[in-house]
Amino acid sequence: MKKPSSKIRDEIARLQEQLKAAETREAERIGRIALKAGLGEIEVDEPELQAAFEDLAKRFRGGKVAATGGKKVGSAAESSASSTQDAAGATAGGTAEA
């Protein structure tokens, strides 16, 4: 049985609200973790921080990212992002042990 377009629109609106709520929960969770790791105190440009987060996401998704302490060959932006990630990882490691 086909749904009328009004019901489909209502369902889309409901799903968009659910998506917004889920994104808000995820953002708050990541924000709390970042603050605990000390990222709130680091002066870093947003594009560099985003690149570092993208590298971190690749790492946890099983992508190929240079290991901590290793040399990463790439652009200057990638090198800066890697340094930011290493600093964040060191801070996170310190709080995890405490």
Side-chain angles (χ1 to χ4, degrees):
M1 179 184 212
K2 293 185 179 182
K3 290 183 184 180
S5 61
S6 62
K7 288 197 180 226
I8 294 171
R9 278 191 211 88
D10 291 342
E11 188 173 343
I12 290 171
R14 182 180 54 79
L15 291 171
Q16 286 174 331
E17 289 175 19
Q18 287 179 0
L19 176 61
K20 185 177 179 181
E23 288 175 339
T24 299
R25 282 191 308 273
E26 292 166 0
E28 289 172 349
R29 176 178 168 260
I30 297 299
R32 281 191 303 272
I33 292 167
L35 290 174
K36 285 180 184 177
L39 288 178
E41 301 166 8
I42 296 173
E43 300 257 347
V44 62
D45 292 330
E46 191 169 321
E48 285 185 70
L49 189 56
Q50 182 172 346
F53 277 130
E54 288 169 358
D55 285 346
L56 187 61
K58 286 178 191 174
R59 175 179 161 206
F60 283 99
R61 288 185 182 133
K64 294 182 180 179
V65 176
T68 304
K71 297 280 183 178
K72 182 176 179 181
V73 179
S75 70
E78 289 174 340
S79 296
S80 296
S82 180
S83 298
T84 303
Q85 180 181 356
D86 291 346
T91 304
T95 58
E97 295 174 7

